[in-house]
Amino acid sequence: MAESPTLPGGDRRGVLFDVDGTLIDSSYIHTIAWWGAFRQYGYDVPMAAIHQLVGMGGARLVDTLLPDGRDRDEDQDIMASHGALYASHWPSLRPLDGAKELLGQCHAGGLAVALASSARQRDLQVMRSVLDADAFIDAATSANDAKESKPAPDILEAALDAVGIEPGNAVYVGDAVWDMKAAGALGIPAIGVTCGGIQAAQLREAGAVEVYEGPRDLLENLGSSAIGRLLALRPNG
C-alpha cells in the first residue's frame, strides 16, 4: 500500500470511493442477481424494491426484503446464490465513464485514494481489474474489513485507517442512500452520483452535500466540488 500524502500542517487528506454503482456499472446486475437468488428459494421480490437496497450489506438486504417468519437458515444460501449469479456477470462489468480519470486526477492532486467497498474480496479483485486504475489507488476495503455493513460506517472507518486519514480530512463518493448515511455517521462530506440509479433528491435527503450524474460529471466539475476544496489545500495549491 502506498503511503498517503502529507499536506500543509502535516494533515493527510483523501477521497474514499464506493465501487459498485459509483465507479463500476453494476447496480442493476446486483439487482438481477438478488432477484434470481430470491426466486431460487421461493421468494418473488420486485426488482424495484431490490434496487433501492443495493449498496446495503447482503445480510441487511435479505433481512429487510424477506418476511420475518422465514426460515433464516436459508439466508446464507441465498447470499451465496446471489454471489454466484453476480459472478456469472463478471465478463459484462464495465467502468463508468470517467471513473479511471477521476481516480487519476485525485491521485495527481496529492490526495490519498481509497476504495471503501463492502463487496466480497473476489468481486473487488475483479472490479479493480476492470477499473485498471491500481496506480492511483492507495488502499481498498472489502466485506472482510468490517463487522457491520452500510449504512453502518465500519467500511469507511477501515478505509480511513488504511490510509491514515481523519474523517474531517476526507470526502466520500457513493451512489446509494446507504453510502450517504454511512458517511454522515462519521461527519464525512458525501458526494452522491446518480449513475447507480438512485435519484438526486433521495441522495440529498440522505445527506449528500452535492450530487453529480457520474464520475465524468464530477471530474468535469472537480474544482468546484467538495473534492476540489481538498485539492485547494495541496502543496503549492
Side-chain angles (χ1 to χ4, degrees):
M1 182 188 75
E3 183 178 355
S4 54
T6 302
L7 300 180
D11 291 333
R12 292 173 172 174
R13 296 182 173 86
V15 189
L16 313 181
F17 289 90
D18 174 55
V19 182
D20 275 303
T22 299
L23 300 174
I24 297 289
D25 193 6
S26 56
S27 290
Y28 291 95
I29 294 176
H30 274 296
T31 299
I32 291 171
W34 280 117
W35 179 79
F38 288 140
R39 287 179 64 87
Q40 286 179 0
Y41 287 85
Y43 299 105
D44 192 2
V45 182
M47 286 192 186
I50 297 170
H51 176 252
Q52 289 296 313
L53 299 187
V54 168
M56 178 185 283
R60 289 181 187 270
L61 183 147
V62 170
D63 200 43
T64 301
L65 290 173
L66 298 189
D68 290 339
R70 70 185 182 280
D71 179 3
R72 293 176 181 269
D73 290 341
E74 290 182 342
D75 286 7
Q76 289 296 326
D77 294 332
I78 292 171
M79 287 189 283
S81 178
H82 159 263
L85 290 169
Y86 180 74
S88 73
H89 291 278
W90 281 345
S92 301
L93 293 177
R94 296 292 182 272
L96 285 153
D97 180 38
K100 181 176 181 178
E101 294 90 335
L102 176 59
L103 297 176
Q105 193 64 36
C106 291
H107 176 80
L111 301 177
V113 174
L115 304 183
S117 172
S118 55
R120 298 180 309 165
Q121 183 63 41
R122 183 64 182 121
D123 288 335
L124 180 62
Q125 290 173 350
V126 170
M127 290 190 291
R128 289 186 67 162
S129 176
V130 169
L131 277 173
D132 187 29
D134 275 358
F136 311 134
I137 298 169
D138 296 289
T141 65
S142 71
N144 296 339
D145 298 306
K147 181 178 180 180
E148 297 289 336
S149 62
K150 299 171 190 173
D154 297 27
I155 286 291
L156 277 67
E157 290 178 317
L160 290 171
D161 289 345
V163 289
I165 292 175
E166 295 297 321
N169 294 324
V171 169
Y172 183 51
V173 183
D175 71 298
V177 165
W178 324 111
D179 294 321
M180 306 301 106
K181 290 183 179 295
L186 297 178
I188 300 174
I191 295 175
V193 287
T194 58
C195 46
I198 302 301
Q199 296 180 356
Q202 292 175 272
L203 295 172
R204 290 188 185 279
E205 184 178 354
V209 297
E210 303 161 357
V211 180
Y212 299 90
E213 292 179 0
R216 177 67 63 190
D217 187 23
L218 175 54
L219 178 62
E220 291 176 352
N221 293 280
L222 201 61
S224 59
S225 73
I227 295 174
R229 290 189 283 279
L230 293 181
L231 288 170
L233 299 172
R234 71 190 189 280
N236 302 318

